[in-house]
Amino acid sequence: MSEHRIPTAALHRWVQDLWLAAGSDEREARLTAEHLVGANLTGHDSHGVGMIPKYVLSWLADELQLNRHVSVAQESGSLLSLEGNRGMGQAVTEEAMAMAIERAREHGVCVMGLRTAHHLGRVGHWAEQACAAGMISIHFVNVLSKPIVAPHGGYQARYGTNPFTIGLPVPDAPPIVLDFATSAIAMGKVRVAHNKGVPTPPGCLLDEAGLPTQDPAVMFPPGGGAPVGALRNFGEHKGYVLAVMCELLGAAVTGGHTIRPETLTHQHAVWNNMLAIVFDPARLGASTSFGHEVEAFVDWIRSSQLQPGCDGIRVPGDPERESRRRRAEWIPVDSGTLAQLDDAAQRVQARRGTSPGPLSRLAEPS
């Protein structure tokens, strides 16, 4: 399937205008555009503008609520429990992280629970927000949507991709950001493969009989029903148990719902619950040695002889920085995703009487 190039600045403007047309205020529309286009810039198209069609369907179904803010459910010093009120994840999570960072400045650490937010997007974005404030952050997230990942040893889907993220600020250098789904591949990457008409990498999917497959269509049956296949965890039992802990820490501990038939009462929304631990490394007395130790260790890692065919040793965050440089001017969007985005604009137009028009008018063949 063909790919198209969208000018990065024009794509950002289109996304912002789409949500303004849907009824978002200026702040929410701007943050949503920055986050989604930012995910494409980092090379994570799975969490980029391709999510917009699902967001629009959730909004039309009165599941995603626009212009909501977080509310404090409970607070006690360095502990902060927040309710996302079904608001746009890109806006309410920015607010929640700002509150956690402020508490960490005051107390040295903040343990923050955020529940019932719409899709948080790329969780690494929130680690980067903490790193920009000089904070380390650790994130456990669960995904309350259709079950799509099978537990280790089983083949029926029972939970979501449950991201795990750590952000580490480095003095006078870019942060080190670990951010991955606990499934072998993010569901958004399966969607991208399906839209492009290409297979997924080996070892990522199981079909309806529990056999390995590379066909992304097992996750996107005709008519939009529940997937007939399932994603696998990364790392066999190790990825599985990390996913379980993300589910329990991200949801059960924060007062959110774990994924069960009783809690799956919505059709389109992707609800996220998150436990974030944000702390100031300087308060551990490491302010004089921290940066030196990080730099020295990274240099030691990079000094290893390279395997044949490898062009360099990367640390967490390097691939995203490389992608940002490559995509600074243009974002690639496949034809299938482009058609879905045009359809999303038409749906906003039909509901609100205004939209930025089809994204395809901005596209150039790749």
Side-chain angles (χ1 to χ4, degrees):
M1 184 172 288
S2 61
E3 277 197 334
H4 305 266
R5 299 193 311 166
I6 312 290
T8 302
L11 180 60
H12 185 283
R13 182 73 252 176
W14 185 89
V15 176
Q16 185 167 331
D17 287 346
L18 180 78
W19 289 107
L20 287 172
S24 290
D25 59 27
E26 288 281 351
R27 171 185 173 272
E28 181 171 275
R30 174 180 56 79
L31 289 173
T32 303
E34 287 176 357
H35 187 118
L36 293 176
V37 177
N40 290 108
L41 281 170
T42 62
H44 296 293
D45 296 329
S46 56
H47 290 68
V49 298
M51 290 299 302
I52 288 174
K54 189 164 187 65
Y55 288 14
V56 168
L57 290 175
S58 179
W59 165 67
L60 290 171
D62 199 35
E63 295 171 353
L64 166 61
Q65 303 296 306
L66 303 184
N67 303 317
R68 292 288 179 89
H69 294 274
V70 296
S71 55
V72 177
Q74 190 170 339
E75 58 182 326
S76 177
S78 61
L79 298 174
L80 186 60
S81 176
L82 301 174
E83 170 61 53
N85 295 309
R86 301 195 297 160
M88 182 74 82
Q90 286 71 17
V92 297
T93 313
E94 192 273 343
E95 195 173 35
M97 285 301 298
M99 295 172 69
I101 290 165
E102 187 57 36
R103 290 292 175 103
R105 285 199 180 104
E106 180 182 358
H107 300 285
V109 63
C110 177
V111 179
M112 183 268 285
L114 174 65
R115 62 185 185 234
T116 325
H118 201 261
H119 187 241
L120 305 181
R122 186 178 73 90
V123 183
H125 184 99
W126 311 120
E128 290 166 355
Q129 182 180 349
C131 289
M135 302 291 172
I136 294 173
S137 65
I138 305 170
H139 306 253
F140 303 87
V141 181
N142 92 315
V143 184
L144 200 63
S145 185
K146 294 175 182 176
I148 55 174
V149 183
H152 182 65
Y155 69 87
Q156 292 178 312
R158 286 295 181 266
Y159 47 87
T161 54
N162 291 8
F164 175 66
T165 301
I166 302 174
L168 186 74
V170 182
D172 303 317
I176 295 176
V177 178
L178 176 154
D179 179 29
F180 57 74
T182 50
S183 51
I185 187 174
M187 181 60 176
K189 287 179 168 49
V190 182
R191 185 195 72 243
V192 171
H194 185 252
N195 286 346
K196 288 183 176 181
V198 298
T200 59
C204 295
L205 294 176
L206 299 172
D207 66 14
E208 61 271 25
L211 300 175
T213 181
Q214 291 181 255
D215 183 4
V218 299
M219 305 305 293
F220 295 94
V228 296
L231 289 122
R232 300 182 66 186
N233 287 111
F234 86 91
E236 300 295 340
H237 64 284
K238 295 181 180 180
Y240 160 62
V241 295
L242 181 56
V244 169
M245 297 309 292
C246 286
E247 187 80 23
L248 298 178
L249 290 171
V253 170
T254 65
H257 288 309
T258 59
I259 188 168
R260 294 171 284 113
E262 297 82 1
T263 61
L264 296 175
T265 59
H266 51 285
Q267 184 176 4
H268 299 291
V270 179
W271 303 128
N272 283 139
N273 304 288
M274 177 174 73
L275 180 72
I277 303 168
V278 181
F279 63 98
D280 182 356
R283 301 283 281 269
L284 290 173
S287 58
T288 58
S289 62
F290 172 62
H292 169 75
E293 284 298 327
V294 172
E295 182 180 5
F297 181 62
V298 169
D299 287 345
W300 169 242
I301 291 174
R302 294 192 196 276
S303 72
S304 172
Q305 292 294 317
L306 299 179
Q307 295 180 20
C310 181
D311 63 356
I313 293 172
R314 293 166 174 81
V315 298
D318 282 347
E320 287 79 3
R321 283 185 284 274
E322 293 168 5
S323 180
R324 285 186 182 111
R325 290 192 289 269
R326 289 195 308 270
R327 294 184 169 191
E329 300 297 328
W330 300 91
I331 300 290
V333 179
D334 65 84
S335 295
T337 299
L338 190 61
Q340 292 172 352
L341 289 165
D342 284 353
D343 178 71
Q346 290 177 350
R347 290 174 185 270
V348 172
Q349 177 76 37
R351 171 62 65 91
R352 298 276 295 180
T354 182
S355 84
L359 180 62
S360 56
R361 65 183 173 83
L362 304 175
E364 295 184 8
S366 181

